[in-house]
Amino acid sequence: MSSSKVGIVILNYMTYELTINCLDNLNNMEYNNFFVVVVDNLSPNNSYEKIFEYISKGKFKYDIYLLKSDKNGGYSYGNNLGVKKAENLKADYILIMNNDIFIKENNFLNKLVDYLDENKNIAMIGPGIIQKKKNLMEIPLYSRRIKSIKKIVSNILYPFTIFLNKMLRRKIQSCKKPMKVYSVAGCCFIIRTNIFKKIGYFDENVFLYGEELILGEKLYQKGYEVYFIPSLRVYHNHSTTISSIYDYKKIGEMQLRSHKYYLDEYRKDISKIVRSMMLYSEYFKEKIYVPLIILIKKVLKQV
C-alpha cells in the first residue's frame, strides 16, 4: 500500500452546507494517509463558524485544517492558501476539489495515488467527472493545446460545437483508457506538490474561470504530462456555488477577461492580430449565442 501523503484542498464561499457534506463524503475514503484543508474565502455569511462548529465535533477519521482568507481573492487566491498549507504539512500530492463534488468509490484515492506512484512522468491527473443533473461525463477541458483557427471556428459555430461535445461525452463515458490531455477541469484534479510549487501554483491574477487552462499551459511549457482517466469517476453538481452568486452575463464577462489574460500572458506564440480575432469570436459566442440558447431553453420549459 502506498505511503504517499495526500492533502485535499476545498474552497468554501457562502456554501457551508456543501462543504460539510463533502467532508462527510471524504470520511468514507479507504485511503489512510490524507488530510483536508478547508479555506473559507471570507464568506459574508457565517460559513466559517458553521464549518468550525461541525468539525469540532471530532467525528472525522482524518485531520482537518480550517483557514479563513483575509479577502475574497477568487478561486486561485483561495486555493493557493490551502495548497501552501498542504505543502507545509508535507503532502506529496495535492487534490483540489470543489465542495459540490461527490465520490462514490471508497477506493478512489487509492487508485489515484497508485497511478501517480507508478507513473513518475505524469504531473497531474483529472478523473472522469459526471454531471449529476444530466448524468453525462464532462469532456477534458482541452484535449489538445488551443489552436487559433480551431478556436475561432468553434466559437463562430458554437451551437454545432455543443452538439459535437454531447457526442464526445457519450464516447468518453464508455472509454476506460487513460489519455494524455492539455488541461483538465478545475473542479477535481490531483497534482504533485513539488511540481505545483515549481510552476508557481495558480495564477492569482485570474479571479474566476480560466485557472485550469493557465495551469495546463504552465505544465505544457515545462514539459510535464497531464492525464485524464475517465474510469476514475466523481459526480459534480455543476456550478452550484457560482450560479447562486452570479448571473450568466457576469459569468460571461469573467470568462472573457480570463481568456484574454491567458492569451496575452501565456500565448505570445500567437500573433497579436490572431489573438484579437480569437477574443472577438469569444465575445460573439458569449454575447449572441449564450443569451439566445438560454432564451430558447426558457421558452421550451414553458411549452
Side-chain angles (χ1 to χ4, degrees):
M1 184 177 288
S2 174
S3 60
S4 298
K5 183 184 285 189
V6 179
I8 301 176
V9 177
I10 301 170
L11 189 62
N12 177 83
Y13 185 71
M14 300 279 286
T15 52
Y16 61 86
E17 300 97 335
L18 287 175
T19 299
I20 288 170
N21 289 339
C22 187
L23 293 173
D24 283 339
N25 178 221
L26 290 173
N27 220 26
N28 297 321
M29 293 299 103
E30 292 176 358
Y31 198 72
N32 60 8
N33 195 15
F34 76 93
F35 60 87
V36 174
V37 180
V38 177
V39 181
D40 180 65
N41 226 359
L42 200 62
S43 301
N45 63 359
N46 59 346
S47 279
Y48 179 86
E49 290 74 19
K50 288 287 186 181
I51 296 168
F52 179 82
E53 181 184 351
Y54 193 76
I55 63 178
S56 296
K57 295 175 182 178
K59 60 179 288 186
F60 299 98
K61 67 179 185 182
Y62 56 87
D63 293 328
I64 303 175
Y65 302 86
L66 178 61
L67 309 180
K68 190 171 188 176
S69 176
D70 59 336
K71 64 178 181 179
N72 178 15
Y75 175 94
S76 296
Y77 181 82
N79 272 309
N80 277 349
L81 289 176
V83 168
K84 290 171 185 176
K85 176 66 174 179
E87 182 187 327
N88 289 336
L89 292 168
K90 308 299 181 184
D92 299 296
Y93 305 132
I94 292 172
L95 177 69
I96 302 286
M97 65 182 291
N98 284 14
N99 64 357
D100 56 359
I101 290 288
F102 178 78
I103 302 171
K104 279 188 177 181
E105 291 186 67
N106 294 346
N107 61 351
F108 173 78
L109 270 179
N110 304 64
K111 290 180 178 179
L112 271 182
V113 172
D114 286 346
Y115 201 86
L116 281 173
D117 284 349
E118 294 165 8
N119 296 274
K120 303 296 185 184
N121 58 311
I122 297 175
M124 183 167 73
I125 292 173
I129 296 165
I130 306 290
Q131 287 186 7
K132 277 187 176 180
K133 291 181 181 178
K134 299 178 181 178
N135 200 32
L136 271 178
M137 184 174 291
E138 297 178 15
I139 58 177
L141 188 67
Y142 284 97
S143 296
R144 298 287 180 268
R145 194 175 186 227
I146 293 176
K147 293 183 178 180
S148 54
I149 300 300
K150 187 176 180 181
K151 185 65 176 175
I152 291 168
V153 171
S154 68
N155 284 335
I156 293 172
L157 302 177
Y158 184 60
F160 297 99
T161 303
I162 293 174
F163 177 74
L164 288 172
N165 283 344
K166 283 186 177 180
M167 294 177 64
L168 277 173
R169 284 182 180 188
R170 290 189 176 92
K171 184 178 179 181
I172 287 173
Q173 199 144 346
S174 61
C175 178
K176 294 184 179 179
K177 187 178 179 182
M179 56 186 80
K180 187 178 177 181
V181 296
Y182 174 60
S183 184
V184 294
C187 64
C188 186
F189 67 85
I190 190 167
I191 186 169
R192 296 183 189 276
T193 308
N194 63 329
I195 291 177
F196 213 174
K197 183 178 181 178
K198 282 180 184 177
I199 63 172
Y201 313 103
F202 286 112
D203 188 324
E204 294 180 11
N205 291 297
V206 176
F207 183 84
L208 193 61
Y209 293 107
E211 309 90 346
E212 61 268 66
L213 180 59
I214 291 170
L215 189 59
E217 178 63 23
K218 281 184 171 186
L219 292 167
Y220 174 87
Q221 289 181 7
K222 295 292 184 181
Y224 296 120
E225 293 187 356
V226 178
Y227 267 73
F228 170 68
I229 307 181
S231 61
L232 294 178
R233 299 181 176 185
V234 299
Y235 293 79
H236 186 208
N237 198 359
H238 192 64
S239 298
T240 301
T241 303
I242 297 169
S243 60
S244 67
I245 301 169
Y246 306 111
D247 61 18
Y248 77 90
K249 291 180 181 179
K250 184 65 176 178
I251 290 171
E253 288 171 6
M254 288 189 288
Q255 289 175 332
L256 285 168
R257 196 179 304 121
S258 295
H259 194 64
K260 184 179 187 303
Y261 181 79
Y262 162 76
L263 290 173
D264 289 345
E265 298 299 321
Y266 290 93
R267 294 304 306 273
K268 292 180 180 178
D269 56 303
I270 301 172
S271 72
K272 194 171 182 179
I273 294 174
V274 176
R275 294 204 306 266
S276 296
M277 290 171 64
M278 292 172 73
L279 284 172
Y280 278 124
S281 71
E282 194 81 21
Y283 183 87
F284 181 82
K285 182 192 81 174
E286 293 295 337
K287 298 299 181 180
I288 305 297
Y289 281 135
V290 172
L292 183 60
I293 290 168
I294 290 171
L295 178 62
I296 291 170
K297 285 181 177 179
K298 285 181 179 178
V299 171
L300 290 174
K301 281 183 179 180
Q302 293 174 356
V303 174

